[in-house]
């Protein structure tokens, strides 16, 4: 296994991290026997970074991971989990949530503790509630070792959050189609310049880059002299960046663990050849041609005066038509843009002011395209669905950390 160094602490982290959001399930619940087997196997293969959170597997992921790491495995790994900002109403809530997580994970410390799914407004809220003091106090007490945040927002908010606290690390969505979306490459480089470790999530765009691959893209992968699976291309492209510390993968089969650890063992920074990088560029171009909206994610249209996250709206809209899985994409749209886990940014907020249209270098008719996005994803029940899901997320988190036994 290849290990990469956390700049501020010199921790050695495996280049592939184990994401505990997509564990194997049986009858709708975590298949504990199989999932435990896979976690132990991953540790044997050299993976030492395990990422979980309160919402994963309907609140069961943390407790499962705590049990899976008993018997000497906890000492071999770094645990990452997250503080759900949507459930925090006071400074005291932060301590209560953390203490509950420590109990569920059956440990006395969290190695990497993140504020979950931050964007601009949620960061301001957490700052005002005293999150910086909370993080400093938790580090002094030894309950957390490293402080960070995961992010789904725009690049200006990302830079502001990076600058306003002494973080050890951050976590961003990044893959071959998201170079200019959310934090993107600009954010990756910015965080690295500030000596933050950068953890990568969604390297396969929720599995879309390895499932339902368009024939135009498959042809490009197949034409390469060196044969690689789509997952190998995706992980190697990310790990080719020296600024990346580790890439999270939601593995739920032994074969996936084998493939990803083998890939990570050889995917060193700057190891892809010019020819291989050109192949990836050709695949990206093929995806771009298939997109319903020719948005490049340049963000010249941002910020929107009414709060629409225009690039994210178009990204999910394109996913809807390219990759299939339409129900899943609709759910992601509500979660990401409906104000459930981060700030609202849905297309229905558009007021047709035209500012974005004037700024778009692709000359896209953004206001009318946003109407199409809203029609596809929102409809009359959108407000009701977001309200129910938001209340559900808050209730789930509160029940989870208020349970003492």
């Amino acid at each position: 296994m290849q290990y990469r160094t956390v700049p501020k602490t010199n921790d050695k982290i495996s280049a592939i991290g184990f994401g505990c959001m997509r564990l194997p399930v049986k009858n709708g619940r975590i298949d504990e026997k199989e999932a435990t087997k896979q976690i132990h196997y991953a540790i044997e293969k050299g993976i030492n970074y395990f990422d979980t959170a309160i919402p994963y597997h309907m609140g069961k992921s943390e407790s499962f991971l705590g049990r899976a790491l008993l018997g000497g495995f906890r000492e071999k790994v770094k645990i990452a989990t997250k503080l759900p900002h949507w459930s925090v109403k006071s400074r005291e809530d932060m301590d209560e949530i953390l203490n509950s997580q420590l109990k569920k994970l059956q440990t006395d410390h969290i190695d990497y503790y993140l504020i979950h799914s931050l964007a601009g407004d949620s960061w301001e809220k957490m700052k005002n509630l005293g999150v910086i003091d909370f993080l400093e106090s938790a580090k002094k007490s030894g309950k957390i070792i490293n402080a960070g945040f995961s992010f789904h927002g725009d690049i200006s908010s990302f830079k502001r959050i990076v600058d306003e606290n002494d973080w050890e690390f951050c976590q961003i969505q990044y893959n071959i189609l998201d170079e200019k979306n959310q934090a993107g490459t600009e954010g990756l480089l910015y965080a690295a310049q500030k000596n933050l470790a950068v953890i990568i999530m969604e390297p396969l765009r929720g599995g879309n880059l390895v499932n339902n691959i368009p024939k135009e893209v498959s042809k490009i992968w197949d034409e390469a002299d060196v044969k690689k699976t789509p997952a190998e291309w995706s992980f190697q492209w990310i790990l080719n960046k020296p600024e990346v510390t580790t890439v999270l993968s939601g593995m739920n089969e032994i074969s996936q663990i084998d493939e990803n650890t083998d890939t990570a063992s050889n995917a060193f920074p700057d190891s892809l050849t010019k020819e291989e990088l050109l192949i990836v560029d050709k695949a990206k171009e093929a995806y771009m041609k298939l997109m319903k909206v020719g948005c490049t994610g340049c963000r010249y249209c941002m910020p929107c005066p009414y709060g629409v996250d225009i690039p994210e709206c178009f990204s999910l809209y394109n996913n809807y038509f390219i990759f299939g899985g339409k129900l899943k994409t609709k759910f992601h749209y509500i979660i990401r843009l409906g104000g459930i886990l981060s700030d609202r940014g849905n297309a229905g907020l558009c007021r047709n002011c035209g500012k974005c249209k004037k700024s778009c270098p692709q000359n896209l008719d953004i206001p009318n395209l946003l109407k199409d996005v809203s029609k596809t994803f929102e409809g009359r029940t959108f407000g009701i669905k977001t309200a129910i899901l938001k209340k559900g997320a808050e209730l789930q988190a509160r029940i989870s950390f208020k349970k003492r036994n």
Side-chain angles (χ1 to χ4, degrees), residues 282-399:
K282 285 178 66 177
K284 287 189 284 186
E285 287 173 12
Y287 273 119
M288 290 296 294
K289 288 178 182 177
L290 293 168
M291 288 181 176
K292 192 83 169 176
V293 178
C295 173
T296 64
C298 70
R299 304 194 76 89
Y300 283 102
C301 58
M302 297 294 286
C304 166
Y306 297 97
V308 181
D309 189 338
I310 298 167
E312 186 69 6
C313 284
F314 290 155
S315 175
L316 289 167
Y317 188 59
N318 284 325
N319 278 0
Y320 184 84
F321 290 99
I322 296 173
F323 298 116
K326 294 186 174 182
L327 284 176
K328 185 172 93 169
T329 308
K330 283 187 173 182
F331 178 74
H332 285 169
Y333 182 89
I334 294 174
I335 292 294
R336 293 186 185 182
L337 297 173
I340 311 301
L341 304 184
S342 57
D343 306 337
R344 279 191 70 190
N346 59 294
L349 297 173
C350 175
R351 294 298 175 265
N352 202 29
C353 70
K355 179 177 178 288
C356 53
K357 186 175 178 179
K358 295 175 185 176
S359 304
C360 179
Q362 309 302 319
N363 297 311
L364 297 175
D365 188 356
I366 294 175
N368 277 323
L369 288 168
L370 287 173
K371 289 178 184 177
D372 294 337
V373 175
S374 181
K375 184 178 179 181
T376 300
F377 289 118
E378 298 178 23
R380 295 178 181 178
T381 60
F382 183 71
I384 297 171
K385 289 175 182 175
T386 56
I388 291 172
L389 283 170
K390 188 168 187 177
K391 286 291 183 185
E394 292 175 352
L395 181 62
Q396 180 199 69
R398 287 198 166 273
I399 290 173

Side-chain angles (χ1 to χ4, degrees), residues 1 12 30 48 77 86 88 200 248 320 380:
M1 172 59 66
K12 304 297 182 185
I30 297 171
N48 69 354
V77 304
W86 56 90
V88 175
I200 302 301
L248 298 177
Y320 184 84
R380 295 178 181 178

Side-chain angles (χ1 to χ4, degrees), residues 127-273:
K127 267 199 314 179
N128 292 336
L129 289 174
V131 73
I132 293 176
D133 173 71
F134 160 73
L135 293 171
E136 290 175 349
S137 298
K139 286 170 76 172
K140 279 185 181 178
S141 69
K143 291 183 178 180
I144 69 173
I145 308 302
N146 301 289
F149 64 95
S150 66
F151 183 79
H152 290 288
D154 60 70
I155 184 61
S156 61
S157 296
F158 178 78
K159 289 181 177 180
R160 179 158 52 87
I161 295 169
V162 167
D163 290 342
E164 290 185 357
N165 189 43
D166 185 20
W167 309 100
E168 278 80 28
F169 72 112
C170 64
Q171 184 169 307
I172 64 172
Q173 176 172 319
Y174 195 62
N175 54 67
I176 64 172
L177 296 185
D178 283 324
E179 285 190 271
K180 296 180 180 178
N181 191 29
Q182 298 187 25
T185 300
E186 185 177 349
L188 170 67
L189 297 176
Y190 190 81
Q193 287 167 3
K194 300 284 184 173
N195 285 326
L196 272 65
V198 183
I199 314 300
I200 302 301
M201 59 181 159
E202 299 293 351
L204 304 177
R205 257 204 180 193
N208 284 326
L209 295 176
V210 294
N211 298 311
N212 303 314
I213 302 170
K215 61 182 180 181
E216 296 90 338
V217 177
S218 290
K219 184 178 179 182
I220 292 166
W221 295 142
D222 291 341
E223 286 175 351
D225 291 335
V226 179
K227 303 305 178 187
K228 300 176 185 179
T229 67
E232 285 180 284
W233 281 113
S234 298
F235 284 117
Q236 286 188 355
W237 181 84
I238 295 170
L239 289 168
N240 197 59
K241 313 281 185 181
E243 298 84 6
V244 169
T245 305
T246 189
V247 182
L248 298 177
S249 179
M251 298 169 281
N252 51 36
E253 295 179 9
I254 292 293
S255 61
Q256 294 172 354
I257 298 171
D258 282 333
E259 179 178 353
N260 291 347
T261 52
D262 289 348
T263 299
S265 297
N266 299 299
F268 296 102
D270 300 317
S271 60
L272 287 180
T273 66

